[in-house]
Amino acid sequence: MAFEPRAEVFDDIAPHPDGLDASDQLIHERAYVVRAYRKAPDVLTLRGSVRDQKPPGLYIPQDPEPLTVHHMIVDLDIRVPSLEILNANVVLETHPHESCPKIEDHYGNLVG
């Protein structure tokens, strides 16, 4: 059986504060997801993602969809048990500025 994450699960992890209405008062949400996979007996692959979103209608009143400001995916191959980083790759799927993807190449400095 495949594991299917659901967005509302985040509400279980970080419930909205009492007295605040998320449908009216939420202005920003950042979500992190990290998954670990066994790639080989001595190598793990970690895939991490960060996504920043604004709720529907915040900037464009009639827009029914959330506005994704950032969405970055990072893959790391890690040797165990030494925890040596063998490979690092990042892709900015969504970003607000032309200069944002310049960070992608710097993740290679994690190797070693």
Side-chain angles (χ1 to χ4, degrees):
M1 179 164 72
F3 175 68
E4 293 293 328
R6 301 179 334 261
E8 60 269 13
V9 170
F10 292 123
D11 290 346
D12 291 340
I13 296 169
H16 303 288
D18 291 339
L20 293 178
D21 180 1
S23 66
D24 184 46
Q25 293 174 293
L26 180 68
I27 60 169
H28 183 84
E29 182 173 72
R30 173 169 273 192
Y32 295 95
V33 175
V34 179
R35 294 181 172 141
Y37 303 87
R38 184 163 303 281
K39 187 172 186 176
D42 64 340
V43 178
L44 300 177
T45 295
L46 295 182
R47 171 162 275 194
S49 178
V50 60
R51 183 185 69 192
D52 291 319
Q53 285 190 321
K54 303 296 185 186
L58 185 67
Y59 291 115
I60 304 171
Q62 308 313 321
D63 189 358
E65 298 297 321
L67 173 65
T68 300
V69 181
H70 295 105
H71 182 200
M72 181 172 70
I73 297 172
V74 178
D75 289 325
L76 299 175
D77 289 337
I78 302 171
R79 185 171 315 282
V80 290
S82 68
L83 301 181
E84 175 189 3
I85 297 175
L86 305 173
N87 184 47
N89 186 55
V90 65
V91 175
L92 272 78
E93 298 282 333
T94 305
H95 50 85
H97 303 288
E98 191 174 304
S99 62
C100 291
K102 291 179 181 178
I103 193 67
E104 292 176 358
D105 293 337
H106 294 278
Y107 276 78
N109 295 329
L110 296 171
V111 174

